[in-house]
């Protein structure tokens, strides 16, 4: 499957989900590439996936092993992959083992055989698995360099893209690294008890590539790569034209406190401890969606069943919107996937339905998924939210913040101001034996707002916020100002004490 | 009955395994890494049985079977065709083999097939398998 690229060089799709994006469109046709990584990192799956994808598009491919690995066994392992199609073997995809040729006839003999087979079969992809054997067979470094050089000449002359699979050599740079058109390194790294796979394009001639590490998984579909979101969206996909106007938060009183609603295309973080009603507020935000302004609920912690129950209990208008398709619900457990996989899924859902109102319930899940690099979360979210902004999406997300002591708010994800343009805080306050809820707006992008605390209650209508700050003020100063008729239901008052 | 067995396979680990197993059984075993080399060996010394891989560089199993069919000196030598693919796939592309052995196989299959094919009734082992 060949395609023209921006540079005019013909591209060959890898067929590996996500990789072509990282490579800026695929491999260069007729190029020579090293795929390196420790045993078990997925090189053989990768090599086969590329071959099967190529033959599925009508091409011819050769898979040549220089290892004591048996093709029958390899095929048994591959047969569970969806890309594996035995009907393509041997007419379009042929497997050879050339280890003995290498032993008997050396590198010259191997080159001659490869050239003949590529030409005879019209192969436009060659995977050479176990290049370490060729290196061992070489008399010296010069002989091996000559082999790589001649292989490259064959690749160019036959328009056959070649992949040399080899065990990782770490940071050591060998002469063949300087000769080939590209190098991709596969790595496995332990994170606590689990392992994370990633790849890095170390070198890529002919065009820019997304630098740095990118996580991947080996699934039933083969290797699925998730380009690092902050690399993919280093620059938003389009200019930020600066949204004007306001979008309802879903609560009229909160809109008043915000100075007229949420600024269009802005990001809003709803913070607060568990049980304050953050999810309910998000549901109410989505309940103002329409077919013209579709919404998306991207959740982690509330299962679909629990969400349904919550919607029935506190935000019934949303049910109809979901049923009509104006609001989509995407739920996944926070332990299921990679950070970039979540980001990718979110982006795709937003783009697919041209979402205008996005509610991410449980920002902490992103941090949990950042695994190996928890410090990535700031850049990840900044890139993601910048993209949402240019796509005209007004985003609301929740973050559980357990520690709220007076004016100090400690969050698990660091600097808040870079992650949200608007901040809304929900908190509990004890008044006697009764738990009260308070809401306040801490920040609104380029706008005046009502920064005072307001008391709110949860009801079958969702959150209902007091129109004035009076009751919140009385709560904040304790019972000193409470009139007798307001003390109904309050037991064991602790007078004069700051109850927060 | 023992005999001369030729094993033609580019996966040399497999050729060497069959070699070792059948040598232990008292046969004389020759090996080749592709079809062309295999035919050259047959020209020098007529085997009693051939284990032939289907997918090989230089000359594959189908070409070898075709060449053997055209050469009266080896046309009747029984051939066990080996492949990682199902027999139906292979059978669409070649004919003239006596038995099929799908890879990966068990050692017992090699021994059983060898005994059966070398001890068949009739000249050149062409009796019923």
């Amino acid at each position: 499957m060949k395609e023209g690229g921006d540079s005019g060089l013909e591209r060959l799709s890898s067929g590996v989900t996500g990789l072509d994006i990282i490579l800026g469109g695929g491999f260069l046709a007729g190029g020579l590439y090293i795929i390196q990584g420790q045993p078990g990192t997925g090189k053989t799956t990768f090599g086969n996936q590329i071959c099967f994808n190529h033959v599925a598009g009508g091409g011819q491919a050769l898979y040549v092993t220089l290892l004591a690995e048996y093709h029958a066994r390899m095929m048994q392992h591959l047969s569970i992959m969806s890309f594996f199609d035995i009907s393509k073997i041997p007419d379009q995809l042929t497997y050879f083992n050339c280890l003995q040729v290498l032993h008997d006839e050396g590198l010259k003999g191997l080159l001659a055989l490869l050239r003949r087979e590529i030409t005879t079969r019209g192969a436009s992809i060659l995977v050479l698995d176990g290049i370490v054997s060729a290196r061992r067979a070489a008399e010296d470094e010069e002989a091996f360099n000559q082999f790589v050089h001649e292989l490259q000449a064959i690749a160019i002359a036959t328009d056959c893209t070649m992949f040399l699979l080899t065990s990782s050599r770490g940071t050591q740079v060998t002469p063949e690294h300087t000769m080939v058109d590209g190098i991709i390194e596969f790595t496995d790294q332990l994170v606590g008890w689990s392992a994370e796979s990633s790849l890095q394009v170390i070198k890529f001639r002919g065009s820019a590539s997304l630098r740095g590490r990118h996580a991947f998984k080996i699934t039933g579909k083969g290797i699925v790569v998730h380009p690092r979101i902050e690399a993919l969206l280093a620059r938003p996909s389009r200019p930020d034209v600066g949204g004007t106007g306001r979008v309802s938060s879903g609560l009229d009183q909160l809109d008043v406190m915000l100075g007229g609603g949420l600024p269009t295309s802005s990001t809003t973080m709803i913070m607060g401890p568990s049980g304050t009603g953050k999810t309910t507020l998000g549901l109410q935000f989505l309940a103002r969606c329409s077919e013209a302004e579709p919404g998306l609920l991207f959740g982690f912690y509330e299962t679909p069943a629990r969400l349904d129950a919550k919607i029935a209990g506190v935000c019934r208008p949303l049910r109809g919107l979901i049923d009509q398709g104006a609001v989509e619900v995407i739920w996944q457990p926070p332990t299921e996937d990679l950070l970039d996989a979540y980001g990718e899924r979110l982006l795709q859902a937003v783009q697919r339905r041209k979402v205008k109102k996005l509610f991410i319930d449980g920002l902490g899940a992103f941090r949990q998924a950042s695994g190996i690099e928890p410090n990535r979360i700031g850049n990840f979210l900044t890139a993601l939210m910048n993209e949402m902004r240019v796509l005209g999406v007004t985003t609301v997300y929740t973050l559980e913040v357990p520690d709220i002591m007076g004016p100090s708010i400690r969050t698990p994800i660091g600097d808040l101001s870079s992650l949200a343009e608007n901040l809304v805080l929900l908190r509990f306050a004890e008044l006697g034996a009764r738990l009260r809820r308070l809401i306040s707006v801490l920040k609104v992008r380029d706008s005046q707002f009502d920064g005072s605390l307001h008391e709110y209650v949860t009801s079958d209508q969702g959150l209902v916020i007091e129109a004035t700050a009076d009751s919140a003020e009385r709560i904040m100063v304790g019972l000193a100002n409470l009139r007798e008729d307001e003390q109904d239901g309050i037991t064991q008052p602790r007078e004069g004490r700051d109850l927060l | 009955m023992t005999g001369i067995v030729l094993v033609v396979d580019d996966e040399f680990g497999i050729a060497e395994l069959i070699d070792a197993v059948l040598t232990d059984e008292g046969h004389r075993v020759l090996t080749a890494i592709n079809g062309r080399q295999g035919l050259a060996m047959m020209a020098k010394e007529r085997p009693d049985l051939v284990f032939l891989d289907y997918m090989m560089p230089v000359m594959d199993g189908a070409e070898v079977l075709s060449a053997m069919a055209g050469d009266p000196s080896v046309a009747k030598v029984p051939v066990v065709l080996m492949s990682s693919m199902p027999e139906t796939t292979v059978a669409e592309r070649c004919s003239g083999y006596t038995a099929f052995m799908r890879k990966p196989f068990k050692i017992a299959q090699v021994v059983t097939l060898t005994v059966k094919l070398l001890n068949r009734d009739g000249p050149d082992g062409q009796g019923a398998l």
Side-chain angles (χ1 to χ4, degrees):
Chain A
M1 288 221 278
K2 293 177 182 175
E3 295 159 11
D6 292 344
S7 60
L9 293 166
E10 200 174 9
R11 296 285 187 146
L12 183 124
S13 169
S14 67
V16 176
T17 306
L19 183 59
D20 289 352
I21 295 170
I22 292 168
L23 298 178
F27 292 100
L28 302 181
L32 181 63
Y33 296 94
I34 288 178
I35 311 298
Q36 63 183 33
Q38 295 291 334
T41 46
K43 301 186 299 295
T44 299
T45 302
F46 177 84
N48 277 284
Q49 195 172 344
I50 282 183
C51 286
F52 275 102
N53 175 63
H54 189 61
V55 301
Q60 295 279 336
L62 260 181
Y63 196 105
V64 175
T65 49
L66 299 175
L67 302 163
E69 182 172 9
Y70 297 110
H71 294 150
R73 203 71 172 153
M74 186 165 76
M75 285 181 200
Q76 281 183 328
H77 298 153
L78 291 170
S79 63
I80 57 168
M81 302 282 183
S82 61
F83 63 76
F84 183 80
D85 180 0
I86 201 161
S87 72
K88 303 295 181 188
I89 310 169
D91 295 342
Q92 285 182 261
L93 172 56
T94 313
Y95 288 84
F96 294 147
N97 188 312
C98 289
L99 186 57
Q100 195 62 34
V101 173
L102 195 59
H103 288 166
D104 293 350
E105 302 171 37
L107 293 174
K108 284 279 177 200
L110 177 62
L111 272 173
L113 184 147
L114 293 175
R115 190 193 65 247
R116 273 198 306 268
E117 294 293 342
I118 289 168
T119 312
T120 307
R121 295 171 189 276
S124 36
I125 278 191
L126 167 71
V127 174
L128 206 48
D129 193 356
I131 200 71
V132 66
S133 300
R135 174 176 278 281
R136 285 197 198 112
E139 288 174 8
D140 52 31
E141 194 80 1
E142 183 57 34
F144 185 70
N145 291 347
Q146 184 65 26
F147 168 74
V148 175
H149 186 64
E150 289 182 30
L151 206 53
Q152 194 160 37
I154 295 171
I156 295 167
T158 58
D159 210 16
C160 178
T161 312
M162 298 184 180
F163 301 92
L164 312 182
L165 275 47
T166 182
S167 298
S168 179
R169 298 178 67 85
T171 53
Q172 188 183 349
V173 177
T174 55
E176 70 265 25
H177 283 85
T178 62
M179 297 162 74
V180 296
D181 296 300
I183 303 166
I184 299 179
E185 184 172 63
F186 286 34
T187 311
D188 240 5
Q189 196 168 344
L190 280 175
V191 186
W193 290 80
S194 58
E196 274 189 17
S197 302
S198 62
L199 62 78
Q200 182 183 6
V201 180
I202 294 174
K203 170 183 176 180
F204 198 74
R205 283 178 178 158
S207 77
S209 61
L210 295 183
R211 294 175 61 78
R213 306 211 72 86
H214 305 277
F216 73 84
K217 272 186 167 180
I218 301 179
T219 71
K221 295 176 182 173
I223 289 178
V224 176
V225 189
H226 301 285
R228 211 170 69 260
I229 290 291
E230 55 268 44
L232 183 68
L233 303 175
R235 286 180 177 277
S237 60
R238 59 192 76 173
D240 183 3
V241 293
T244 55
R246 297 281 178 150
V247 172
S248 174
S249 67
L251 288 81
D252 293 338
Q253 181 55 39
L254 181 57
D255 287 347
V256 173
M257 292 165 67
L258 289 162
L262 299 168
T264 306
S265 309
S266 66
T267 55
T268 303
M269 185 189 290
I270 305 168
M271 297 177 291
S274 177
T276 44
K278 299 184 295 298
T279 301
T280 304
L281 204 162
L283 298 180
Q284 289 180 269
F285 167 64
L286 289 179
R288 300 282 173 97
C289 286
S290 63
E291 281 185 24
E293 289 212 318
L296 170 65
L297 194 167
F298 196 78
F300 294 95
Y301 297 103
E302 304 266 9
T303 61
R306 282 171 57 183
L307 262 180
D308 283 347
K310 182 162 273 187
I311 289 167
V314 299
C315 193
R316 281 191 290 275
L318 183 56
R319 180 75 265 158
L321 291 171
I322 293 171
D323 293 342
Q324 290 163 25
V327 174
E328 183 182 14
V329 178
I330 295 179
W331 175 82
Q332 58 266 294
T335 49
E336 182 197 64
D337 222 328
L338 304 166
L339 178 64
D340 296 303
Y342 289 136
E344 195 177 284
R345 201 175 303 154
L346 174 59
L347 264 179
Q348 285 169 355
V350 165
Q351 288 165 342
R352 187 179 69 244
R353 299 184 58 254
K354 295 186 170 51
V355 165
K356 289 298 168 202
K357 290 183 180 178
L358 168 64
F359 172 41
I360 302 172
D361 194 17
L363 202 64
F366 284 127
R367 186 181 182 279
Q368 196 176 332
S370 62
I372 212 164
E373 288 289 343
N375 295 331
R376 271 190 63 199
I377 193 69
N379 286 341
F380 170 87
L381 289 172
T382 301
L384 201 56
M385 292 310 144
N386 284 344
E387 182 65 13
M388 292 302 146
R389 195 171 300 125
V390 301
L391 292 174
V393 181
T394 305
T395 304
V396 168
Y397 50 77
T398 62
L399 178 66
E400 187 156 323
V401 182
D403 300 327
I404 303 172
M405 299 297 289
S408 164
I409 302 167
R410 280 178 294 171
T411 75
I413 56 171
D415 180 24
L416 297 177
S417 58
S418 64
L419 299 181
E421 295 156 296
N422 320 308
L423 296 174
V424 175
L425 179 64
L426 306 181
R427 66 175 79 179
F428 290 115
E430 291 173 11
L431 183 57
R434 186 181 291 179
L435 208 54
R436 303 290 187 99
R437 292 179 169 87
L438 301 173
I439 184 169
S440 57
V441 177
L442 304 185
K443 173 184 155 189
V444 178
R445 182 184 77 193
D446 305 331
S447 177
Q448 297 298 311
F449 59 93
D450 172 7
S452 58
L453 291 163
H454 286 241
E455 188 179 8
Y456 68 95
V457 295
T458 55
S459 71
D460 60 0
Q461 304 298 309
L463 306 191
V464 179
I465 304 173
E466 289 284 330
T468 69
D470 296 348
S471 65
E473 199 165 310
R474 287 197 292 276
I475 292 168
M476 293 301 288
V477 297
L479 289 176
N481 295 333
L482 275 180
R483 298 190 308 270
E484 267 187 28
D485 60 354
E486 290 179 313
Q487 295 186 29
D488 290 346
I490 300 173
T491 57
Q492 298 176 331
R494 290 173 286 179
E495 286 190 33
R497 184 173 163 192
D498 183 351
L499 296 172
L500 266 186
Chain B
M1 177 185 171
T2 59
I4 300 171
V5 181
L6 172 63
V7 185
V8 188
D9 198 331
D10 60 323
E11 291 190 276
F12 218 68
I14 289 174
E16 286 181 347
L17 175 66
I18 297 175
D19 182 349
V21 168
L22 295 184
T23 300
D24 281 352
E25 296 292 315
H27 305 286
R28 194 155 72 83
V29 183
L30 311 170
T31 57
I33 59 169
N34 61 53
R36 186 182 294 166
Q37 210 177 75
L39 284 176
M41 285 186 162
M42 284 185 226
K44 283 184 189 168
E45 192 166 14
R46 183 185 181 281
D48 299 306
L49 173 64
V50 176
F51 279 87
L52 178 67
D53 186 33
Y54 176 71
M55 199 159 45
M56 289 182 293
V58 183
M59 181 182 273
D60 66 18
E63 291 174 282
V64 173
L65 283 168
S66 175
M68 286 176 73
D71 180 352
S73 68
V74 290
K76 292 187 176 177
V77 174
V79 175
V80 178
L81 194 63
M82 305 182 287
S83 179
S84 312
M85 292 174 293
E87 185 179 4
T88 48
T89 306
V90 175
E92 286 170 9
R93 292 160 177 83
C94 65
S95 59
Y97 58 89
T98 320
F100 180 80
M101 192 165 72
R102 186 160 184 193
K103 295 178 178 178
F105 50 77
K106 307 291 180 201
I107 286 173
Q109 286 177 267
V110 176
V111 175
T112 307
L113 269 174
T114 303
V115 170
K116 278 185 179 173
L117 292 171
L118 289 181
N119 291 290
R120 284 192 303 172
D121 295 329
D124 299 312
Q126 291 301 297
L129 184 59

